[in-house]
């Protein structure tokens, strides 16, 4: 079936987003963008592309919905448990030697990733001297992450991932259970700072010893990935760590000469 919104029309929308709102999606991987734009167009029953375009350009609330639908926010706690195990056994012992630890979760989505890191930091007795910045382009998911409230039905899977990641405690001690949701403990949240941040257009805002940007760059074209790697290079202390998702790599980037791969679990160390 032919897509309702053509490639040319998608380019028009992307240009609008850039010039009307300053959001640059022009270097995002096209296949995923196309799927998501077409999905929204059908879901919201637009009679014509012209009306769809007009609505995005003129109605800021609808523009926000558009951004929310454009970004893929799938996440879970202790996603790829072996990655967290590597974090715990190989990276935390080095971070432990620093007086203060600054961590950035770039593209944090609804926050499951940052709560996972905080739990392991707590068990390594490092949370009290850590600060975890968690940012995302999508304001709606950042709000959810900051609330620390998650559906109770996810806790079984979270608990299994936590054990596989090397968690030592009873997982349920980290939250208070309500009827259908759980609220994560204040002690974890106290060390977190949430904010919107756009990796495409905004600059570095601190120096970090660890940056996690997992399952975000996969949605970017190669040039944009390169620009974001440069941003991370600038934002990392010398000997700082960069953690990527399972399908992402620094290998093809010119930046690779400045980093060394720490292990097979997608963790890189800045050497220069
Ligand atoms: C698939 S989620 C990954 C969440 C988490 N890091 C994980 O691995 O489970 C990708 C996130 O990247 C965010 N994102 C996409 N483009 C971004 C940008 N330009 N700047 C910051 N975040 C962005 C999306 O809003 C989404 O929440």
């Amino acid at each position: 079936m032919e897509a309702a919104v053509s490639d040319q029309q998608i380019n028009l929308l992307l240009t609008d987003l850039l010039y009307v709102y300053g959001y640059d999606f022009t270097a995002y991987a096209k296949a995923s963008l196309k799927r998501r734009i077409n999905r929204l167009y059908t879901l919201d029953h637009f009679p014509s592309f012209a009306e769809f375009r007009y609505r995005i350009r003129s109605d800021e609330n609808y523009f926000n919905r558009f951004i929310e639908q454009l970004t893929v926010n799938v996440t879970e706690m202790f996603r790829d448990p072996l990655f967290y195990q590597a974090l715990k056994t190989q990276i935390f012992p080095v971070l432990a030697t620093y007086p203060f630890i600054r961590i950035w979760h770039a593209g944090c989505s609804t926050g499951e990733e940052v709560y996972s890191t905080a739990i392991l930091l707590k068990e390594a007795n490092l949370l009290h001297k850590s600060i975890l910045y968690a940012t995302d382009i999508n304001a709606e998911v950042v709000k959810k992450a900051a609330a620390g409230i998650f559906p109770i039905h996810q806790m079984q899977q979270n608990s299994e991932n936590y054990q596989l990641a090397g968690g030592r405690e009873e997982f349920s001690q980290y939250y208070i259970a309500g009827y259908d949701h759980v609220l994560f403990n204040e002690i974890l949240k106290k060390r977190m700072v949430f904010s919107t941040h756009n990796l495409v257009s905004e600059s570095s805002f601190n120096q970090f010893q660890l940056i996690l940007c997992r399952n975000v760059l996969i949605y970017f074209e190669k040039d944009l990935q390169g620009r974001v790697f440069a941003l991370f290079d600038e934002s990392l202390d010398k000997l700082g760590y960069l953690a990527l998702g399972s399908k992402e790599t620094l290998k093809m980037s010119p930046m690779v000469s400045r980093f060394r791969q720490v292990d097979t679990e997608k963790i890189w160390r800045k050497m220069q």
Side-chain angles (χ1 to χ4, degrees), residues 25 28 71-76 79 106-110 113 135-138 141 197-200 213-216 219-220:
F25 282 92
Y28 276 51
T71 56
V72 179
N73 305 121
V74 179
T75 186
E76 63 182 37
R79 184 177 191 171
C108 66
S109 189
T110 38
E113 191 182 70
T135 63
D136 200 284
I137 190 177
N138 180 335
V141 294
H197 179 278
N198 186 346
L199 290 165
V200 179
C213 185
R214 304 175 62 228
N215 309 296
V216 179
Y219 300 104
F220 296 177

Side-chain angles (χ1 to χ4, degrees), residues 6-22:
S6 70
D7 290 1
Q8 203 184 1
Q9 289 169 330
I10 286 176
N11 288 338
L12 273 177
L13 292 180
L14 299 186
T15 311
D16 284 354
L17 290 185
L18 183 57
Y19 290 109
V20 180
Y21 295 103

Side-chain angles (χ1 to χ4, degrees), residues 193-243:
V193 177
F194 293 96
S195 161
T196 54
H197 179 278
N198 186 346
L199 290 165
V200 179
S201 54
E202 291 181 63
S203 47
S204 170
F205 58 92
N206 213 326
Q207 287 299 114
F208 301 93
Q209 284 86 43
L210 168 64
I211 297 177
L212 296 95
C213 185
R214 304 175 62 228
N215 309 296
V216 179
L217 299 174
I218 194 172
Y219 300 104
F220 296 177
E221 282 174 358
K222 227 166 154 259
D223 281 0
L224 178 55
Q225 289 183 3
R227 271 160 46 205
V228 177
F229 284 139
L231 171 70
F232 291 154
D233 181 45
E234 196 189 318
S235 309
L236 276 175
D237 274 354
K238 187 174 174 197
L239 299 179
Y241 296 96
L242 173 64

